[in-house]
Amino acid sequence: MSMPVRFSAARWERAYRGVVAAAFRRVPFYRDQWVAAGRALAEPEPTPSAALSGQLHRLCPFARPFDPSREPSLWIGDGRDLRDALALAGAPRRTPVAEVRAAVLDRRALGPRGPRYGALLAPGADVVDEDRRRALNAAALGTLGAPAQAGQVIVVGERATLEALGPDLDGVRVHAIERMTAASAVQDPRPGVLYDPHLGYFAATHPACGRAHLLWRRFHARPAGRAWAVTALRRRRPVLLDVLPDGSGTPGATTLTTGTPATAVCADHGTPVLTTH
């Protein structure tokens, strides 16, 4: 049996430097930063997440450009980040997961051997009418074994949305997991998973220490002004380097109101956390 990989700050930084060097060689979005700067850069310019909308064609390597006529949006992800974020947040590992989304997603599990999965549409979703939305949600819950079998379901979404979905979840034993921004998780620690529309799920609040732990095998983070710059270490389509999550750095975004962003190693768990000083 293989031993679990222990966190090493040196290896983590080397992984970050490796994906940065590869991106500057191969990805138009980051090559263009060199052009704009008029020189070679050691690190990417931090980019607000909101600025990535519509940039898929520039965030993929030259050799494998994004072709919307042949493949779905690459922002969807494969589900394993959500699976691992939920495990980090202390959610039951084999319990079916219902994720609140803006559109139906044809997915049945969160990665290989992951728990069963269904997508729920919140009130106001772009569907024909409210009856159709409720019917789609009932069908999704039915594939997860609820409510007829009275099985527990993990439901992931923003706090207000989870409350609004109450009528849809009548008769379901719900284990609610709040979806939060990085700034809100650090300023007001509570159980939940950290999410950004483009990065996806990249961290979770650990129930034992209450700190925002990164999914460090897949993401790197460093302080950048009033936010954290987060890099997806394993994604190659799209390549996401030094993204300011939650729209940080843009007007009206959820940002820190006190303290200066920092990263640290959790004294209890020995892995990286988002914090302030």
Side-chain angles (χ1 to χ4, degrees), residues 178-253:
E178 185 177 351
R179 189 162 56 199
M180 301 182 288
T181 66
S184 63
V186 172
Q187 293 177 129
D188 180 18
R190 55 186 185 272
V193 290
L194 280 63
Y195 174 80
D196 172 84
H198 295 112
L199 289 165
Y201 296 91
F202 61 94
T205 305
H206 199 293
C209 65
R211 307 185 83 182
H213 280 253
L214 282 159
L215 298 177
W216 61 269
R217 291 175 177 83
R218 294 192 178 97
F219 294 93
H220 178 278
R222 65 186 183 95
R226 299 293 299 165
W228 296 269
V230 179
T231 292
L233 296 174
R234 297 186 180 182
R235 291 185 73 174
R236 301 294 180 263
R237 290 173 54 75
V239 176
L240 301 173
L241 307 183
D242 282 19
V243 176
L244 304 178
D246 319 322
S248 301
T250 58

Side-chain angles (χ1 to χ4, degrees), residues 34-268:
W34 279 15
V35 174
R39 59 186 175 86
L41 301 173
E43 296 173 335
E45 294 290 338
T47 303
S49 177
L52 298 178
S53 181
Q55 294 294 322
L56 278 176
H57 62 293
R58 298 177 60 227
L59 287 165
C60 291
F62 292 111
R64 297 182 62 202
F66 175 62
D67 184 350
S69 69
R70 293 175 175 268
E71 54 191 324
S73 173
L74 303 179
W75 297 129
I76 294 174
D78 67 5
R80 285 177 290 186
D81 291 341
L82 174 55
R83 178 196 66 193
D84 292 348
L86 289 172
L88 188 56
R93 289 180 178 268
R94 301 304 302 173
T95 300
V97 175
E99 180 192 21
V100 179
R101 298 185 64 93
V104 172
L105 177 61
D106 186 14
R107 173 177 289 160
R108 295 292 178 264
L110 291 179
R113 298 180 298 280
R116 287 178 292 165
Y117 172 90
L120 295 180
L121 299 176
D126 187 14
V127 291
V128 175
D129 53 34
E130 180 66 4
D131 288 342
R132 178 58 175 163
R133 185 191 68 81
R134 296 285 300 273
L136 289 170
N137 284 353
L141 290 168
T143 65
L144 301 179
Q149 298 177 24
Q152 187 181 62
V153 174
I154 296 169
V155 181
V156 182
E158 287 72 19
R159 180 185 294 181
T161 304
L162 293 175
E163 293 174 354
L165 278 172
D168 300 64
L169 301 172
D170 186 36
V172 180
R173 291 196 302 123
V174 173
H175 182 111
I177 297 289
E178 185 177 351
R179 189 162 56 199
M180 301 182 288
T181 66
S184 63
V186 172
Q187 293 177 129
D188 180 18
R190 55 186 185 272
V193 290
L194 280 63
Y195 174 80
D196 172 84
H198 295 112
L199 289 165
Y201 296 91
F202 61 94
T205 305
H206 199 293
C209 65
R211 307 185 83 182
H213 280 253
L214 282 159
L215 298 177
W216 61 269
R217 291 175 177 83
R218 294 192 178 97
F219 294 93
H220 178 278
R222 65 186 183 95
R226 299 293 299 165
W228 296 269
V230 179
T231 292
L233 296 174
R234 297 186 180 182
R235 291 185 73 174
R236 301 294 180 263
R237 290 173 54 75
V239 176
L240 301 173
L241 307 183
D242 282 19
V243 176
L244 304 178
D246 319 322
S248 301
T250 58
T254 303
T255 55
L256 287 172
T257 55
T258 60
T260 301
T263 57
V265 175
C266 177
D268 296 329

